[in-house]
Every structure is written in C-alpha cells, then in structure tokens.
Short mmCIF file of all heavy atoms in Angstrom, two decimals:
data_model
loop_
_atom_site.label_atom_id
_atom_site.label_comp_id
_atom_site.label_asym_id
_atom_site.label_seq_id
_atom_site.Cartn_x
_atom_site.Cartn_y
_atom_site.Cartn_z
N VAL C 1 85.63 81.09 83.91
CA VAL C 1 84.17 81.11 83.83
C VAL C 1 83.69 82.36 83.09
O VAL C 1 82.80 82.30 82.24
CB VAL C 1 83.54 81.03 85.24
CG1 VAL C 1 82.04 81.33 85.18
CG2 VAL C 1 83.77 79.66 85.84
N GLN C 2 84.28 83.51 83.40
CA GLN C 2 83.87 84.75 82.76
C GLN C 2 84.14 84.72 81.26
O GLN C 2 83.41 85.35 80.48
CB GLN C 2 84.60 85.92 83.41
CG GLN C 2 84.13 86.21 84.82
CD GLN C 2 84.98 87.23 85.54
OE1 GLN C 2 85.83 87.87 84.93
NE2 GLN C 2 84.76 87.40 86.83
N ASP C 3 85.15 83.97 80.84
CA ASP C 3 85.47 83.89 79.41
C ASP C 3 84.60 82.89 78.66
O ASP C 3 84.39 83.05 77.45
CB ASP C 3 86.94 83.50 79.22
CG ASP C 3 87.90 84.63 79.56
OD1 ASP C 3 87.46 85.80 79.55
OD2 ASP C 3 89.07 84.34 79.86
N ASP C 4 84.09 81.87 79.34
CA ASP C 4 83.52 80.74 78.61
C ASP C 4 82.17 80.25 79.12
O ASP C 4 81.75 79.14 78.77
CB ASP C 4 84.52 79.57 78.66
CG ASP C 4 84.59 78.82 77.34
OD1 ASP C 4 84.09 79.35 76.33
OD2 ASP C 4 85.12 77.70 77.33
N TYR C 5 81.48 81.06 79.94
CA TYR C 5 80.23 80.56 80.53
C TYR C 5 79.12 80.35 79.52
O TYR C 5 78.15 79.64 79.78
CB TYR C 5 79.76 81.50 81.64
CG TYR C 5 79.36 82.88 81.19
CD1 TYR C 5 78.06 83.19 80.82
CD2 TYR C 5 80.31 83.91 81.16
CE1 TYR C 5 77.72 84.47 80.41
CE2 TYR C 5 79.96 85.19 80.75
CZ TYR C 5 78.67 85.46 80.38
OH TYR C 5 78.32 86.72 79.97
N HIS C 6 79.23 80.99 78.33
CA HIS C 6 78.21 80.78 77.30
C HIS C 6 78.17 79.32 76.85
O HIS C 6 77.11 78.72 76.73
CB HIS C 6 78.49 81.65 76.07
CG HIS C 6 78.21 83.09 76.28
ND1 HIS C 6 79.17 83.97 76.72
CD2 HIS C 6 77.07 83.81 76.11
CE1 HIS C 6 78.64 85.18 76.81
NE2 HIS C 6 77.38 85.11 76.44
N ARG C 7 79.36 78.77 76.63
CA ARG C 7 79.42 77.44 76.03
C ARG C 7 79.53 76.31 77.05
O ARG C 7 79.08 75.20 76.79
CB ARG C 7 80.63 77.37 75.08
CG ARG C 7 80.52 78.29 73.88
CD ARG C 7 81.73 78.13 72.98
NE ARG C 7 82.96 78.44 73.70
CZ ARG C 7 84.17 78.09 73.26
NH1 ARG C 7 84.30 77.41 72.14
NH2 ARG C 7 85.25 78.43 73.95
N HIS C 8 80.14 76.60 78.19
CA HIS C 8 80.40 75.52 79.15
C HIS C 8 79.87 75.92 80.52
O HIS C 8 80.32 76.89 81.11
CB HIS C 8 81.89 75.23 79.22
CG HIS C 8 82.47 74.76 77.92
ND1 HIS C 8 82.22 73.50 77.40
CD2 HIS C 8 83.25 75.40 77.01
CE1 HIS C 8 82.84 73.37 76.24
NE2 HIS C 8 83.47 74.50 75.98
N ARG C 9 78.93 75.12 81.03
CA ARG C 9 78.26 75.45 82.30
C ARG C 9 78.42 74.35 83.35
O ARG C 9 77.64 74.28 84.28
CB ARG C 9 76.77 75.73 82.04
CG ARG C 9 76.58 76.93 81.13
CD ARG C 9 75.13 77.23 80.85
NE ARG C 9 75.04 78.32 79.90
CZ ARG C 9 74.21 78.37 78.87
NH1 ARG C 9 73.36 77.38 78.67
NH2 ARG C 9 74.20 79.40 78.05
N SER C 10 79.42 73.52 83.18
CA SER C 10 79.68 72.48 84.18
C SER C 10 81.00 72.77 84.90
O SER C 10 81.98 73.20 84.27
CB SER C 10 79.74 71.10 83.53
OG SER C 10 80.92 70.95 82.76
N VAL C 11 81.01 72.53 86.19
CA VAL C 11 82.23 72.73 86.97
C VAL C 11 83.33 71.79 86.48
O VAL C 11 84.51 72.15 86.47
CB VAL C 11 81.94 72.50 88.47
CG1 VAL C 11 83.22 72.58 89.29
CG2 VAL C 11 80.92 73.52 88.98
N LYS C 12 82.94 70.61 86.02
CA LYS C 12 83.92 69.63 85.54
C LYS C 12 84.74 70.18 84.39
O LYS C 12 85.96 69.94 84.32
CB LYS C 12 83.22 68.34 85.11
CG LYS C 12 84.18 67.23 84.66
CD LYS C 12 83.45 65.99 84.24
CE LYS C 12 84.44 64.88 83.90
NZ LYS C 12 85.45 65.27 82.89
N HIS C 13 84.11 70.90 83.50
CA HIS C 13 84.84 71.45 82.35
C HIS C 13 86.01 72.33 82.83
O HIS C 13 87.13 72.21 82.33
CB HIS C 13 83.89 72.28 81.49
CG HIS C 13 84.58 73.10 80.44
ND1 HIS C 13 85.04 72.57 79.26
CD2 HIS C 13 84.92 74.43 80.41
CE1 HIS C 13 85.62 73.52 78.54
NE2 HIS C 13 85.56 74.65 79.22
N TYR C 14 85.75 73.19 83.80
CA TYR C 14 86.79 74.10 84.28
C TYR C 14 87.80 73.37 85.16
O TYR C 14 88.99 73.72 85.15
CB TYR C 14 86.13 75.26 85.03
CG TYR C 14 85.18 76.03 84.14
CD1 TYR C 14 83.80 75.88 84.23
CD2 TYR C 14 85.68 76.90 83.17
CE1 TYR C 14 82.94 76.56 83.38
CE2 TYR C 14 84.83 77.59 82.33
CZ TYR C 14 83.46 77.42 82.44
OH TYR C 14 82.61 78.08 81.59
N ALA C 15 87.35 72.37 85.89
CA ALA C 15 88.27 71.57 86.70
C ALA C 15 89.27 70.85 85.79
O ALA C 15 90.47 70.77 86.12
CB ALA C 15 87.49 70.57 87.54
N ASP C 16 88.79 70.34 84.66
CA ASP C 16 89.70 69.64 83.72
C ASP C 16 90.76 70.60 83.19
O ASP C 16 91.94 70.24 83.07
CB ASP C 16 88.89 69.05 82.56
CG ASP C 16 88.03 67.87 82.98
OD1 ASP C 16 88.27 67.33 84.07
OD2 ASP C 16 87.11 67.52 82.22
N ILE C 17 90.36 71.82 82.86
CA ILE C 17 91.33 72.81 82.36
C ILE C 17 92.37 73.14 83.43
O ILE C 17 93.56 73.31 83.14
CB ILE C 17 90.61 74.08 81.91
CG1 ILE C 17 89.71 73.80 80.71
CG2 ILE C 17 91.60 75.19 81.58
CD1 ILE C 17 88.88 74.98 80.27
N LEU C 18 91.92 73.20 84.68
CA LEU C 18 92.80 73.57 85.79
C LEU C 18 93.55 72.37 86.37
O LEU C 18 94.32 72.52 87.32
CB LEU C 18 91.97 74.24 86.90
CG LEU C 18 91.35 75.59 86.51
CD1 LEU C 18 90.32 76.03 87.55
CD2 LEU C 18 92.43 76.66 86.36
N CYS C 19 93.30 71.20 85.78
CA CYS C 19 94.01 69.97 86.18
C CYS C 19 93.77 69.60 87.64
O CYS C 19 94.69 69.20 88.38
CB CYS C 19 95.51 70.10 85.91
SG CYS C 19 95.91 70.38 84.16
N VAL C 20 92.52 69.76 88.09
CA VAL C 20 92.12 69.33 89.42
C VAL C 20 90.79 68.59 89.29
O VAL C 20 90.14 68.64 88.24
CB VAL C 20 91.96 70.52 90.40
CG1 VAL C 20 93.28 71.22 90.63
CG2 VAL C 20 90.91 71.50 89.89
N THR C 21 90.38 67.92 90.34
CA THR C 21 89.10 67.23 90.30
C THR C 21 87.97 68.23 90.56
O THR C 21 88.19 69.25 91.24
CB THR C 21 89.03 66.12 91.35
OG1 THR C 21 89.06 66.72 92.65
CG2 THR C 21 90.20 65.14 91.19
N PRO C 22 86.77 67.96 90.04
CA PRO C 22 85.64 68.84 90.34
C PRO C 22 85.38 68.97 91.83
O PRO C 22 85.01 70.06 92.30
CB PRO C 22 84.47 68.15 89.62
CG PRO C 22 85.10 67.37 88.53
CD PRO C 22 86.41 66.90 89.08
N LYS C 23 85.59 67.90 92.57
CA LYS C 23 85.36 67.94 94.01
C LYS C 23 86.33 68.90 94.69
O LYS C 23 85.93 69.69 95.56
CB LYS C 23 85.50 66.53 94.60
CG LYS C 23 85.22 66.46 96.10
CD LYS C 23 85.32 65.03 96.60
CE LYS C 23 85.02 64.96 98.10
NZ LYS C 23 85.13 63.56 98.60
N TYR C 24 87.61 68.82 94.31
CA TYR C 24 88.60 69.71 94.92
C TYR C 24 88.34 71.17 94.53
O TYR C 24 88.41 72.07 95.38
CB TYR C 24 90.01 69.30 94.49
CG TYR C 24 91.09 70.20 95.06
CD1 TYR C 24 91.45 70.11 96.41
CD2 TYR C 24 91.72 71.14 94.26
CE1 TYR C 24 92.43 70.95 96.94
CE2 TYR C 24 92.71 71.97 94.78
CZ TYR C 24 93.04 71.87 96.12
OH TYR C 24 94.01 72.70 96.65
N LEU C 25 88.03 71.40 93.26
CA LEU C 25 87.75 72.76 92.82
C LEU C 25 86.54 73.33 93.56
O LEU C 25 86.57 74.49 94.01
CB LEU C 25 87.49 72.79 91.31
CG LEU C 25 87.13 74.15 90.70
CD1 LEU C 25 88.25 75.17 90.94
CD2 LEU C 25 86.86 74.02 89.21
N SER C 26 85.50 72.53 93.71
CA SER C 26 84.31 72.98 94.42
C SER C 26 84.62 73.31 95.88
O SER C 26 84.13 74.30 96.43
CB SER C 26 83.22 71.91 94.36
OG SER C 26 82.81 71.67 93.03
N MET C 27 85.49 72.51 96.48
CA MET C 27 85.87 72.74 97.87
C MET C 27 86.64 74.05 98.01
O MET C 27 86.39 74.85 98.93
CB MET C 27 86.73 71.59 98.37
CG MET C 27 87.20 71.73 99.83
SD MET C 27 88.39 70.45 100.29
CE MET C 27 89.83 70.97 99.34
#
C-alpha cells in the first residue's frame, strides 16, 4: 500500500497481488 496507494485504492488490487481473497485479507 505504501508503494502504490497513488494508483490503486482498492483492497482487491492488493489481495490479488498477495494471492488471497479480499475478504481474507480484510479479516
């Protein structure tokens, strides 16, 4: 998030990079 918050502001974007679901990452 600290590296890319300018361009990407959705949790889903980071969940995809981390290979987890947005729901699991949020939890």
Side-chain angles (χ1 to χ4, degrees):
V1 169
Q2 290 172 9
D3 287 339
D4 219 15
Y5 65 90
H6 287 91
R7 295 182 301 164
H8 298 288
R9 298 180 184 137
S10 72
V11 175
K12 183 180 184 306
H13 169 79
Y14 300 103
D16 289 344
I17 294 176
L18 294 168
C19 300
V20 296
T21 66
K23 183 178 180 180
Y24 179 74
L25 178 59
S26 297
M27 180 188 70

